[in-house]
Amino acid sequence: MSTTERPRILVVGGGYVGLYAARRILKKMRYGEATVTVVDPRSYMTYQPFLPEAAAGSISPRHVVVPLRRVLPKAEVLTGRVTTIDQDRKVATVAPLVGEAYELPFDYLVIAMGAVSRTFPIPGLAEQGIGMKGIEEAIGLRNHVLEQLDKADSTTDEDVRRKALTFVFVGGGFAGAETIGEVEDMARDAAKYYTNVKREDMRFILVDAADKILPEVGPKLGAYGKEHLESRGVEIYLSTSMDSCVDGHVVLKNGLEVDSSTIVWTAGVKPNPALARFGLPLGPRGHVDTSEKLQVQGTDYIWAAGDNAQVPDMVGRRAGNPNAWCPPNAQHALRQAKVLGDNVISGMRGFPQKEYSHANKGAVAGLGLHKGVAMIVMGKVKIKLKGRLAWYMHRGYHGMAMPTWNRKIRIFADWTLAVFLKREVVSLGAMETPREEFYEAAKPAPAPAVAAKSEGEKAKAS
Ligand SMILES: Cc1cc2nc3c(=O)[nH]c(=O)nc-3n(C[C@H](O)[C@H](O)[C@H](O)COP(=O)(O)OP(=O)(O)OC[C@H]3O[C@@H](n4cnc5c(N)ncnc54)[C@H](O)[C@@H]3O)c2cc1C
């Protein structure tokens, strides 16, 4: 890393907030005013709203991520994890991908570490569950689901077949409803290429502890989303939860028991637990406690935003709700990042800070090809859309929200190609263990059993 005399703005996390905040700071900064350093264990930002489409193969996984070094050429990008912050010395400890951890001094700090899957100590979950927070998981889920069809097509064991064709999704928010919608669509579509697997042989189950799905789009559209998924044969169990899933034997609180090789866990998120080691003020659920100016409470050189921060929702508060907080979503993360970037520049120059305030613009959700729900908020009017039109809104909105024109064009090209070429349904499960076959070929042959030498051979050898 560089050791300059300039002040360092350290951005912890290169996701939505980290990427957009760093871009904003670099855009507004004078030449040589500061060094912007972004630290993230991944070398790319992930556009999470497209993970369900990546899992369904509608978008190439590479197009859902944005390489940080390419979009932030003027920043110093370090691939590693910030493990601790020493506020007295203004030093962060960075654990790089390889090698010893080192200390990185900073003058200004941006905390943008996002959230992680919120799990519970459910027997079997850690071993069987598949999350949906990163591109690796989306690729893994797609390969895994198609591999289950391959298995079911080729086995004569009815129990193995039934288990392979049963897919359980826990959590019916954005991530869960969109993922089951996309994956179900893809899997049933893929069935036409299999001799022994029919569309109706597959069982898709969605479980949620709440009494509704898709709360983000409101009760009416959420109810429509539920009816729509049910009309496609998805079994939805609400107000219930998963008690255990040891070895894929799923037991629900409502008494249902099924065997499944695929358990997808999308039951919400919680702030990054690493925050607990940073010595920052945290709210009751572990978020960094942040003012309406996105400054961490009690500091004037640390800012936080996005899924890891509790940011007051000033629109809600002005409307009379003193406990309104911004929900953890991309809509807020993106807008907060821009205000945060401006405030870092102002803070560095000793100018006043801007308040963050944003009125909800609505929500869009895709539920498979040509299916979706959308709620657009225009002032006091809420426009509710469903079906194909909502799906176009979903694609149009997210396609344009995808960072960089390079990625936007690639995504629209993927969608356009899919109109003419059929959906890709190949499972590349071996990608997860690419060296296995080579290892088998290259490993030393086992020593042959040593046969007792005959007297003649012994004589020849000597
Ligand atoms: C499947 C799915 C679908 C979604 N769909 C929608 C949608 O349709 N609409 C919507 O508004 N929102 C949606 N969201 C939510 C939205 O993506 C998030 O709210 C948004 O990404 C939050 O941005 P962030 O910067 O706070 O966190 P992230 O974008 O998650 O970025 C956090 C970054 O911090 C990095 N990090 C973690 N630990 C460390 C560490 N110790 N040191 C350094 N870096 C670290 C991570 O690698 C990551 O890059 C969806 C989320 C998911 C998972």
Side-chain angles (χ1 to χ4, degrees):
M1 86 245 55
S2 70
T3 48
T4 59
E5 292 307 308
R6 299 174 196 163
R8 171 178 272 122
I9 302 168
L10 175 60
V11 180
V12 185
Y16 244 107
V17 171
L19 170 66
Y20 279 103
R23 271 177 117 185
R24 186 79 168 192
I25 293 166
L26 289 163
K27 190 173 157 203
K28 297 263 171 121
M29 210 171 74
R30 285 192 289 267
Y31 179 75
E33 197 176 354
T35 298
V36 177
T37 303
V38 179
V39 183
D40 196 297
R42 299 183 175 106
S43 61
Y44 48 82
M45 174 263 194
T46 306
Y47 190 84
Q48 292 170 1
F50 275 148
L51 292 180
E53 286 213 40
S58 304
I59 304 178
S60 162
R62 269 189 207 90
H63 302 163
V64 173
V65 299
V66 182
L68 293 174
R69 288 185 174 82
R70 185 160 162 181
V71 289
L72 298 172
K74 291 190 186 147
E76 178 184 50
V77 176
L78 303 176
T79 307
R81 211 171 267 283
V82 172
T83 52
T84 56
I85 301 280
D86 182 336
Q87 287 185 59
D88 295 334
R89 293 166 54 226
K90 287 198 176 175
V91 159
T93 306
V94 177
L97 276 187
V98 285
E100 295 281 302
Y102 53 84
E103 291 196 330
L104 191 66
F106 63 82
D107 299 273
Y108 305 96
L109 186 62
V110 174
I111 305 288
M113 288 158 59
V116 299
S117 294
R118 185 188 49 177
T119 55
F120 303 100
I122 296 173
L125 180 61
E127 297 77 24
Q128 303 291 324
I130 305 172
M132 189 42 66
K133 278 288 293 162
I135 193 66
E136 305 78 6
E137 290 167 320
I139 298 172
L141 176 61
R142 172 179 166 69
N143 287 331
H144 174 85
V145 168
L146 289 170
E147 207 173 87
Q148 300 315 301
L149 303 195
D150 294 344
K151 277 187 197 165
D153 199 41
S154 322
T155 183
T156 51
D157 184 326
E158 193 44 42
D159 289 343
V160 170
R161 185 181 139 78
R162 202 173 311 116
K163 189 170 176 179
L165 294 179
T166 301
F167 305 93
V168 177
F169 290 69
V170 185
F174 255 143
E178 289 195 296
T179 307
I180 196 170
E182 294 286 351
V183 170
E184 185 265 355
D185 201 43
M186 182 266 298
R188 293 214 212 260
D189 188 42
K192 61 179 179 257
Y193 303 109
Y194 291 82
T195 323
N196 303 314
V197 176
K198 306 269 166 298
R199 292 173 68 86
E200 54 278 11
D201 295 345
M202 290 173 221
R203 190 170 177 196
F204 281 86
I205 295 172
L206 178 61
V207 182
D208 201 302
D211 59 358
K212 53 182 168 296
I213 65 164
L214 282 168
E216 299 88 345
V217 291
K220 275 198 184 150
L221 283 178
Y224 165 80
K226 175 173 177 282
E227 273 165 36
H228 169 77
L229 288 173
E230 282 172 337
S231 73
R232 285 159 54 179
V234 176
E235 295 167 42
I236 302 183
Y237 299 102
L238 299 180
S239 308
T240 191
S241 54
M242 186 169 76
D243 276 350
S244 70
C245 57
V246 177
D247 296 330
H249 181 69
V250 175
V251 180
L252 301 189
K253 210 164 227 72
N254 66 3
L256 185 84
E257 295 193 24
V258 284
D259 285 317
S260 168
S261 301
T262 313
I263 297 156
V264 183
W265 183 264
T266 49
V269 293
K270 63 178 180 189
N272 198 313
L275 291 169
R277 294 193 298 269
F278 285 14
L280 299 170
L282 301 183
R285 290 191 292 134
H287 299 87
V288 183
D289 192 9
T290 313
S291 74
E292 69 285 1
K293 293 174 180 162
L294 304 172
Q295 250 172 345
V296 174
Q297 299 288 6
T299 72
D300 61 359
Y301 64 96
I302 312 179
W303 292 261
D307 287 6
N308 70 5
Q310 58 169 44
V311 178
D313 172 3
M314 297 314 287
V315 176
R317 290 187 182 211
R318 283 193 194 102
N321 178 1
N323 297 318
W325 301 100
C326 298
N329 63 32
Q331 199 182 129
H332 281 288
L334 171 64
R335 288 167 177 85
Q336 287 170 358
K338 290 184 179 163
V339 174
L340 186 153
D342 290 349
N343 282 350
V344 172
I345 296 279
S346 303
M348 204 165 56
R349 294 179 186 162
F351 294 142
Q353 302 278 295
K354 263 196 317 205
E355 177 190 288
Y356 172 74
S357 170
H358 167 67
N360 180 23
K361 293 262 179 285
V364 287
L367 297 172
L369 271 186
H370 309 139
K371 303 148 196 126
V373 286
M375 185 184 67
I376 319 295
V377 182
M378 294 169 95
K380 291 211 163 106
V381 182
K382 282 186 185 164
I383 302 169
K384 293 174 188 137
L385 302 169
K386 48 195 184 190
R388 198 178 268 261
L389 192 57
W391 179 77
Y392 283 126
M393 294 289 304
H394 156 79
R395 281 205 160 176
Y397 172 80
H398 285 301
M400 290 314 292
M402 182 75 202
T404 79
W405 277 102
N406 179 307
R407 261 31 194 185
K408 286 191 216 313
I409 292 167
R410 285 174 195 270
I411 281 175
F412 279 103
D414 281 347
W415 287 336
T416 311
L417 278 178
V419 175
F420 301 106
L421 309 172
K422 288 197 177 118
R423 199 197 316 236
E424 196 54 77
V425 290
V426 66
S427 152
L428 293 179
M431 264 175 44
E432 281 141 45
T433 49
R435 295 192 59 247
E436 204 168 85
E437 202 167 319
F438 182 78
Y439 176 77
E440 283 301 320
K443 77 178 176 192
V450 184
K453 285 184 179 170
S454 68
E455 285 306 309
E457 280 169 331
K458 275 187 204 160
K460 250 191 234 166
S462 60

